Structures are given as structure tokens and as C-alpha cells.
Amino acid sequence: MNALRVLRLIISLLIVTSVSTILTHLLEVRPQFSSLSFFSFFTNQSNLLVALFFVIEAVLRWRNQPLSRSVYDRTRGALILYMSMTTSIYWLFLHGLIHFVSPAATAANIFLHSGALSFLLLDWLWDRPQTRMCKRFFIVWLVYPLLYGIVIMLLGSMRAWYPYPFLDIDKLGFGKWAVWNGAMACGIGLLGVVIILANNRLRREPLKSP
């Protein structure tokens, strides 16, 4: 288990490095690009949440105040959902639209859209969950994406800029916007249920003290 904890910190460092690499590159080639716009991307937010989670878990464990197993399992499940959203939406719809001049930024971009999810799945299989969840729990996980969407739409209406083309209601029109985002919301909800079912299937019984 110690090796896995070290890997969690390495992944966290790689995430922060990748985010910093892309931000630095964008500010060099597009000086007018703002940091606010950069951190409006769900990709950057979800990856940084993964890094923050593993760092907090390590600090609490170092202080002999580890997260309870239920908190760890439920938070990891949420992060798997968010990173699954990031990875699937990128590779299905967006990867042909994003190009970087810098090879380092290109590699960092690929890592952010695949690396964290791959590691979370490895962590899930290696350190199997101990917490059983009801299928309705995915509703709690959807609070963050819902708030994200509301905030981004409000900012977009004020700035006339949206981080993703499927959120740009001005260009799509309400009908196409509703179809796109309604279909994605249903897919995300279904994915949340699948993750919970898989969690319960993978669940191992906690070790009992003699």
C-alpha cells in the first residue's frame, strides 16, 4: 500500500505540472488569454481536484488523521465520474479542435485527458472500495457538474465566451444546446450509476480486528 500512496503523490505532481505547462504555453502564445478562462475548463478543475484529494489524504494520514473509508470511497467515486466525463467528452468530441505548438503542452494535454482517469481506475482496482453505496448516491456527485454548468452559462452570457462549443448557446441556439446538454446529462447520470454498481461489485469486506 505504501507504493500506491507514493504513486498518488506522483500523479498529483504530474497533474500540477501539466496544468502549469499548458497555462504557461497559452500565456506565451496568446497573451490576451486570461487565467480565469483557463481555469474555467472542467478538465483543469477536475484534474486539480484529483491532485488536491490525494495531497489532502496524504497530509491527513501523515498527521494520523486519515480520511474515513466511506469518505475516501465516495470521494474517489465522484472523481472517477468527473474524470470519466473529462476523458470521454474530450476524445469523442474535442480532441480534433485542440492543437498546441509546444510538444510539452501537447503531452501535458494528453495526460490531463487520460492520465488521471487511468490512475484512478488503477487505484480503484488495487485499493478496492469498502463502502457500499445506493444507486441514488450519484445525485450527490452531480451537484458539482450542475453548479459548474450554471456558473459557466452565467459567465458566458456576460463575457460572450464559453470554454466548450456545446455550451455556446449563442452559436447553437436553444434547441441544439438543449439537445446536446440534455443527452450529455443523461449519459453522465447513467455513468454515475454504472460507477456505483461497479463500486459495489468491487467492494471488499473491511478487515475485522481479532
Side-chain angles (χ1 to χ4, degrees), residues 99-148:
H99 303 283
F100 294 100
V101 177
S102 164
T106 299
N109 181 61
I110 292 174
F111 176 79
L112 291 178
H113 287 101
S114 299
L117 175 61
S118 299
F119 180 78
L120 280 170
L121 294 176
L122 171 65
D123 188 82
W124 208 26
L125 295 172
W126 191 345
D127 184 15
R128 289 163 52 194
Q130 297 178 15
T131 306
R132 186 171 187 84
M133 300 182 223
C134 68
K135 290 190 287 291
R136 293 189 300 275
F137 192 79
F138 81 94
I139 296 172
V140 176
W141 292 348
L142 295 182
V143 171
Y144 164 54
L146 178 62
L147 290 177
Y148 170 84

Side-chain angles (χ1 to χ4, degrees), residues 11-122:
I11 289 296
S12 300
L13 178 60
L14 288 174
I15 287 172
V16 173
T17 302
S18 297
V19 170
S20 301
T21 298
I22 295 176
L23 177 58
T24 301
H25 173 69
L26 287 174
L27 292 178
E28 287 176 352
V29 299
R30 296 169 59 185
Q32 74 280 8
F33 191 78
S34 70
S35 297
L36 175 61
S37 297
F38 180 76
F39 289 106
S40 296
F41 285 92
F42 192 82
T43 295
N44 299 322
Q45 293 185 20
S46 57
N47 272 276
L48 289 172
L49 282 175
V50 173
L52 181 63
F53 172 60
F54 284 141
V55 169
I56 289 175
E57 191 266 347
V59 170
L60 290 177
R61 191 173 292 278
W62 176 68
R63 296 177 60 182
N64 286 323
Q65 297 175 322
L67 294 172
S68 70
R69 192 64 212 199
S70 61
V71 169
Y72 185 88
D73 289 341
R74 288 186 169 94
T75 305
R76 181 174 58 181
L79 293 174
I80 289 172
L81 174 61
Y82 304 153
M83 290 310 308
S84 296
M85 292 166 54
T86 293
T87 299
S88 59
I89 291 172
Y90 173 77
W91 289 109
L92 286 173
F93 306 115
L94 303 174
H95 77 278
L97 305 176
I98 301 174
H99 303 283
F100 294 100
V101 177
S102 164
T106 299
N109 181 61
I110 292 174
F111 176 79
L112 291 178
H113 287 101
S114 299
L117 175 61
S118 299
F119 180 78
L120 280 170
L121 294 176
L122 171 65

Side-chain angles (χ1 to χ4, degrees), residues 5 75 90 141 147 163 183 186 188 195 197:
R5 291 171 189 158
T75 305
Y90 173 77
W141 292 348
L147 290 177
C186 291
I188 292 166
I195 290 171
L197 292 175

